[in-house]
Amino acid sequence: MTGFQGFPKEFLRFYAELIENNNRDWFGRNKQRYKDVVVYPMCDFIEAIAPRLEAIAPTYIADPRPNGGSMFRIYRDVRFSRDPKPYKEHAACQFRHQAGRDAHAPGFYVHLALDGVRFGGGIYLPPAPILTKIRHAIDEKSADWNAIKNDPDFRKTFPDGIRGDGLKRAPKGFPIDHPEIEDLRRKTLFVMKPLLTVEGITKPDFIDEVEDAFQKATPFMRFLTNAVDLPF
């Protein structure tokens, strides 16, 4: 289906060296290398996954542009961080809903790092009104929610289940003994499939694994999307 044959091995070497040299001088000397072995291969991956994503979720966008597209920038925002490292030590892309303009919209996600590769989907720290809609959908459609969570293929693909940081107490309007209190507490909701080996991203079938995970995440993503009044 695609000419994408996996990420180059130099992708992994670049990040191994970046971890040891996370400073502006080193990156300045290696900026073109970053473009050649990280940015352009990521753009190729996004372009290749686009028709597959469209077949799964046509309202979600895979934008292969190197700037302003689906790929996250390498630059860290260190203004409020105790970690002064200027560069992210991983590459990532998010395929957001066509109605979403930022990372807080529902989206499918791919994370590539030496300490682990994972892909799936969800919604990250949505604004309070959006999160409230999701919580009410879980409450009112708990049977559908549990059918998604307990589906054998879903549980096999995403062994850690639905994850995301949450409140210590019950959110306003929900009892602490609510059957779905664990998920109702969440401020972020996502599912991720881990890749067995980091080297797997260099294989031609990596894109097939991502497509399969996106397909298995579809009921979960459809639930979130509809919960916030968007078409899937």
Side-chain angles (χ1 to χ4, degrees), residues 7 11 38-47 71 91-93 112:
F7 287 90
F11 178 104
V38 176
V39 176
Y40 300 147
M42 180 66 90
C43 292
D44 290 342
F45 168 78
I46 294 170
E47 184 174 14
M71 182 180 182
C93 57
L112 310 176

Side-chain angles (χ1 to χ4, degrees), residues 61-73:
I61 306 300
D63 185 341
R65 291 178 298 162
N67 297 299
S70 297
M71 182 180 182
F72 284 104
R73 289 160 48 90

Side-chain angles (χ1 to χ4, degrees), residues 2-8 44-45 48 200-207:
T2 175
F4 181 78
Q5 294 299 304
F7 287 90
D44 290 342
F45 168 78
I201 70 171
T202 67
K203 309 298 183 183
D205 63 354
F206 172 67
I207 194 170

Side-chain angles (χ1 to χ4, degrees), residues 90-228:
H90 67 272
C93 57
Q94 186 189 36
F95 308 127
R96 293 188 279 273
H97 193 279
Q98 61 189 16
R101 296 182 179 180
D102 57 40
H104 303 285
F108 293 86
Y109 181 73
V110 178
H111 181 98
L112 310 176
L114 296 187
D115 62 356
V117 173
R118 55 188 183 272
F119 33 89
I123 189 166
Y124 178 75
L125 293 177
I130 299 299
L131 184 56
T132 296
K133 288 183 178 182
I134 294 171
R135 285 171 172 161
H136 280 293
I138 293 172
D139 174 44
E140 296 166 7
K141 301 177 181 179
S142 59
D144 294 341
W145 183 249
N146 279 285
I148 292 168
K149 291 171 59 175
N150 295 323
D151 178 81
D153 284 342
F154 184 85
R155 296 180 66 175
K156 181 179 179 180
T157 305
F158 308 108
D160 293 329
I162 297 170
R163 300 167 58 195
D165 292 339
L167 304 169
K168 293 183 178 180
R169 301 180 179 180
K172 185 177 180 179
F174 298 96
I176 191 63
D177 60 349
H178 192 289
E180 311 306 325
I181 192 61
E182 184 176 5
D183 292 327
L184 291 173
R185 281 173 166 163
R186 299 191 193 281
K187 297 179 290 184
T188 289
L189 299 96
F190 66 89
V191 294
M192 287 290 154
K193 176 182 179 179
L195 196 65
L196 293 179
T197 66
V198 175
E199 290 75 17
I201 70 171
T202 67
K203 309 298 183 183
D205 63 354
F206 172 67
I207 194 170
D208 298 324
E209 293 205 44
V210 174
E211 179 187 14
D212 180 70
F214 285 1
Q215 184 68 59
K216 297 297 196 307
T218 294
F220 170 72
M221 292 298 294
R222 180 183 291 111
F223 187 99
L224 290 182
T225 305
N226 293 339
V228 299

